[in-house]
Amino acid sequence: MATRYRSSVKRVLIRSTESPGESEKVNYAPITLFPSSVPRNSLEQLTSLQLHFNKMMHMVSQDLEFLQTCLRNLNKVDNFNKRLWDIAQLVTKEGITQPVSLGMFRNDYMMDMKHVTPDDPDVDPKKSTSAPECVQMKQVEFNTIATGSAGLISNVDKVHRYSLTMAGKQFTDSQIPVNKPAYGMAMGLVEAWKVYGNKSACVLFVVMEPELNTLDQRRLDLEIFQCDKSVPLKYVTFKRITESGNLRAGDQALLIDGCEVAVVYYRTGYSPKHYCSEKYWDTRLMMERSKAIKCPSVQCQLAGTKKVQQELCRPGAVERFIDDPEVAHQIRETFVNQFSLDLDEEGDEAVNAVFTNPQNYVLKSSREGGGNNKYGADIKSLLSGIKDSEERAKYILMERITPWPQSTYLVKSGHEVSLKHVVTEIGIFGVYLGTKDMELYNSVPGHVLRTKTADSDEGGLMVGQSYLDSPFHID
Ligand code: ADP
Ligand code: MG
């Protein structure tokens, strides 16, 4: 059985961190032995709501006035965001060369227990591991750039069906929904490539150096091939584009080694360390100026910042983009409270609240990629040094979600299989292609579950803190 299980998890490999430069070194991705319970209704509701989220975030990215209002104070103290903003402003002023933009999103949630009132007063819902009748799906963050795991997760449902069967558990097919988000995400790239309208132009994967997430990306690349065998692909780093990229005079086509680029797909570019050479900022500007379709455009990257998400929690902000009051209400229902820390009265109130009850909050900086949040006492020590300065506008405060704890076996290469209390984060993938006024493509390719031990604050897959997982529906 162990051997058969190993061949089953061979479908879920990642590049080994010990030797990132050596492409042949791969390892099993961390994975839960069994799937985790997720109420069917909740997952289905999030899936249908995602079409509206896709559209809303696209519209946010098209509304520079809204973005400016959101980011004004952050840009004064955060040079990285300011530089992205400057590019957004400059390309808008010069005149947008490519009105179509592509979003490949992941909307992350946790199953919150905070608002649950159990029928039985002796049951503490926070310790319950039985079916949660009334967990509420609460948004953790909306990712607009380099959203990962669609490739890695695309075989995990099969592994879980296998391990449950081997353990002698009865289940129906629909209890572990089929999940192939890589195909749907790849479709987004193919649709954008078609809209660009030049069959010899390529889809450009802009990746890191070294790139640990290669196998996640390769799966997308394979699925592009399944969708349309004729799409040319290139993998490049910022360094390579800087050396061999240029804009064609006249029509602003992006050329890499002379090959025209239809779609720029960023799997990097969201952290200051990705711009380790000053020249890479010029390279980013060149790509944003080009007539290639960007995934995401710099505006869409900015729409995904934590500051914008905090501003979307304000009354009327969702309604600015969503006409249907029922849909706006459903979107709002997924939000927990978020607070600005700008240097004003509202920010003062938030600082006071977090100093009184730090355990109720998460402090977030406008950075992506994990490891940037502060919790509990660390919030107080960080804020005490800057609480009277504009510096505090670098951060936002978010109400802490109380995720439903379950128990599961965690499987990681080189570690004993162990039974742990865990919490699960559910990501819903979304693809949106459109202009300011026209929707060309809107889809929800699937989901990803990432599970971490209940006592760990952060949950990055690539940093080894979370485990790939699948939803198991209890009917
Ligand atoms: P990023 O992934 O860009 O670093 P996130 O907002 O996703 O930032 O936060 C990282 C992790 O911190 C999440 O995956 C989640 O485990 C945890 N987290 C974030 N926000 C909350 C929250 N409001 N309540 C509880 N945990 C949170
Ligand atoms: Mg995250």
Side-chain angles (χ1 to χ4, degrees), residues 141 306 364 368 370 373 375 399 401 425 452 457-458:
E141 68 157 341
K306 306 219 169 29
K364 295 189 172 184
E368 298 300 319
N373 297 345
Y375 300 84
E399 184 189 342
I401 298 167
E425 194 166 331
K452 60 176 186 174
D457 287 329
E458 299 268 336

Side-chain angles (χ1 to χ4, degrees), residues 328-452:
H329 173 74
Q330 285 173 23
I331 287 178
R332 283 198 170 284
E333 285 283 288
T334 69
F335 293 172
V336 295
N337 291 320
Q338 297 200 42
F339 308 92
S340 159
L341 287 172
D342 293 357
L343 196 59
D344 53 23
E345 211 175 304
E346 189 192 334
D348 289 344
E349 267 176 41
V351 170
N352 287 338
V354 74
F355 271 74
T356 314
N357 284 310
Q359 72 286 355
N360 293 350
Y361 300 97
V362 181
L363 184 82
K364 295 189 172 184
S365 73
S366 272
R367 288 289 172 277
E368 298 300 319
N372 301 304
N373 297 345
K374 297 275 181 258
Y375 300 84
D378 290 344
I379 305 184
K380 277 174 94 167
S381 51
L382 188 143
L383 277 185
S384 41
I386 54 166
K387 71 180 169 42
D388 299 318
S389 112
E390 283 194 332
E391 280 287 295
R392 77 183 196 197
K394 275 186 183 162
Y395 304 92
I396 60 105
L397 201 60
M398 184 173 186
E399 184 189 342
R400 190 161 186 169
I401 298 167
T402 307
W404 176 44
Q406 304 189 49
S407 293
T408 198
Y409 289 94
L410 300 177
V411 183
K412 191 197 276 186
S413 173
H415 293 72
E416 286 286 310
V417 175
S418 52
L419 181 64
K420 296 278 186 200
H421 283 296
V422 296
V423 294
T424 294
E425 194 166 331
I426 300 165
I428 308 291
F429 290 106
V431 175
Y432 193 94
L433 183 72
T435 66
K436 197 173 179 125
D437 315 304
M438 208 191 336
E439 178 171 303
L440 300 170
Y441 187 77
N442 188 359
S443 80
V444 185
H447 51 261
V448 57
L449 263 62
R450 287 162 307 155
T451 289
K452 60 176 186 174

Side-chain angles (χ1 to χ4, degrees), residues 106 108 140-141 143 425 450:
R106 201 190 64 228
D108 292 337
V140 173
E141 68 157 341
N143 301 278
E425 194 166 331
R450 287 162 307 155

Side-chain angles (χ1 to χ4, degrees), residues 167-178:
K169 301 284 177 202
Q170 301 286 323
F171 60 97
T172 59
D173 274 355
S174 78
Q175 283 184 284
I176 307 178
V178 172

